Amino acid sequence: GSGLLTNCTCNLGYIGDDGGPCSPECGTSGKTSGSIRLVDCDVNKCCRVEVEHSGQWGTVCDDEANNFAAVVACRQVGCPNATATQLPSFGGGSDPILLDDLNCTGSETELDECNHGTWGSHNCAHSEDWGVCCVSD
């Protein structure tokens, strides 16, 4: 299978049914905008963050993003107690770059609540696609 998961928690371990890392798609909760998913996860549970806006999925540029934003991303996908670390330049995305200049305080429940640039406006390339690692103790 594709290893896609629709109800992620840190305990799932991000391992697909073929024994390799899967691509969790989580934090969506049926919303039409502001959902996020973690994709192309590696064995260290580091994944590219993708966000959804008006039905379109896309990536997040790593400009301005920091570990506070990583904490929010992990919280949004159901890992509120994880050790959250950002991974700038995770790269690899192909959907439109939707968010740039993401600036979180760490107290937000969703990335969309953080300060960020206008949806779809960026000065980035996919090499700057932002990733996070959500590792449970």
Side-chain angles (χ1 to χ4, degrees):
S2 66
L4 273 179
L5 303 170
T6 53
N7 187 13
C8 299
T9 70
C10 275
N11 298 327
L12 290 171
Y14 300 122
I15 300 300
D17 51 19
D18 58 356
C22 65
S23 298
E25 181 171 328
C26 35
T28 54
S29 67
K31 301 195 323 163
T32 56
S33 196
S35 300
I36 72 170
R37 64 186 181 188
L38 303 181
V39 296
D40 290 344
C41 302
D42 62 24
V43 292
N44 298 316
K45 298 186 183 178
C46 299
C47 316
R48 184 173 60 258
V49 177
E50 297 191 348
V51 293
E52 187 248 353
H53 182 66
S54 299
Q56 169 70 57
W57 285 97
T59 62
V60 179
C61 182
D62 60 16
D63 292 353
E64 304 295 329
N66 57 28
N67 278 343
F68 290 125
V71 168
V72 177
C74 293
R75 179 181 297 132
Q76 187 170 352
V77 298
C79 304
N81 300 315
T83 299
T85 311
Q86 72 157 348
L87 198 65
S89 302
F90 186 90
S94 57
D95 289 324
I97 300 170
L98 289 182
L99 273 188
D100 194 8
D101 299 330
L102 184 66
N103 188 345
C104 305
T105 65
S107 62
E108 299 90 349
T109 55
E110 301 181 355
L111 286 180
D112 194 20
E113 297 172 7
C114 303
N115 288 324
H116 55 75
T118 304
W119 284 98
S121 177
H122 67 86
N123 57 345
C124 305
H126 277 302
S127 58
E128 298 173 82
D129 286 342
W130 185 62
V132 299
C133 313
C134 306
V135 181
S136 54
D137 295 333

